[in-house]
Amino acid sequence: MVKGKNDYTLTKSEMQVMNALWSAGKAMDVHEVVARYEEPRPAYTTISTFLKILTTKGFVDWKKGNGKQYLYFPVISRGEYASRVMKDVKDNFFGGSASSLVRFFVEDEQLSETELRELLSLIPNP
């Protein structure tokens, strides 16, 4: 899918477009993507440019709609993208150690007792 290292992650603006596509659950034209934004909405041409970039990066594809219309859809799920990003964070910031990654969030985020119990419940009993 994604070839270049720089193409692996999404910018904040690209992520907003992807969130619109993921939440829609269907292929959309540029006007429909723009309509998913809160006011003030970005320009049609801005979203069109981002969709072209996301297509080049391999995150989005398109199919022909009615007339000149193009319908855009994600080719990677939100979960797949989150897994790839988290693996990259784990490998690049925590030496590949999942326990170091979790320790960082436990200590840095000052998790509540409820959140800690939820984390502990994910660990299978031996």
Side-chain angles (χ1 to χ4, degrees), residues 17 21 26-34 44 47-52 55 60-74:
V17 174
L21 292 171
K26 67 178 184 106
M28 295 190 298
D29 67 21
V30 179
H31 290 290
E32 291 173 303
V33 176
V34 171
Y44 175 96
I47 298 304
S48 180
T49 299
F50 280 121
L51 286 165
K52 287 175 185 162
T55 300
V60 169
D61 204 354
W62 58 272
K63 62 185 177 182
K64 198 82 164 99
N66 296 325
K68 295 181 180 181
Q69 179 188 49
Y70 290 94
L71 301 173
Y72 296 89
F73 57 92

Side-chain angles (χ1 to χ4, degrees), residues 106 109-121:
V106 167
E109 293 296 315
Q110 300 176 354
L111 300 177
S112 70
E113 193 173 319
T114 302
E115 290 171 315
L116 288 170
R117 277 196 210 109
E118 287 176 19
L119 279 175
L120 288 171
S121 73

Side-chain angles (χ1 to χ4, degrees), residues 9-23:
T9 56
L10 299 171
T11 66
K12 183 177 179 179
S13 296
E14 291 167 349
M15 190 70 183
Q16 288 176 308
V17 174
M18 289 301 296
N19 280 328
L21 292 171
W22 285 324
S23 65

Side-chain angles (χ1 to χ4, degrees), residues 81-102:
Y81 180 69
S83 291
R84 289 178 182 198
V85 169
M86 292 309 297
K87 182 181 180 334
D88 194 45
V89 167
K90 180 185 70 156
D91 292 346
N92 289 312
F93 290 95
F94 300 98
S97 169
S99 61
S100 293
L101 172 70
V102 172

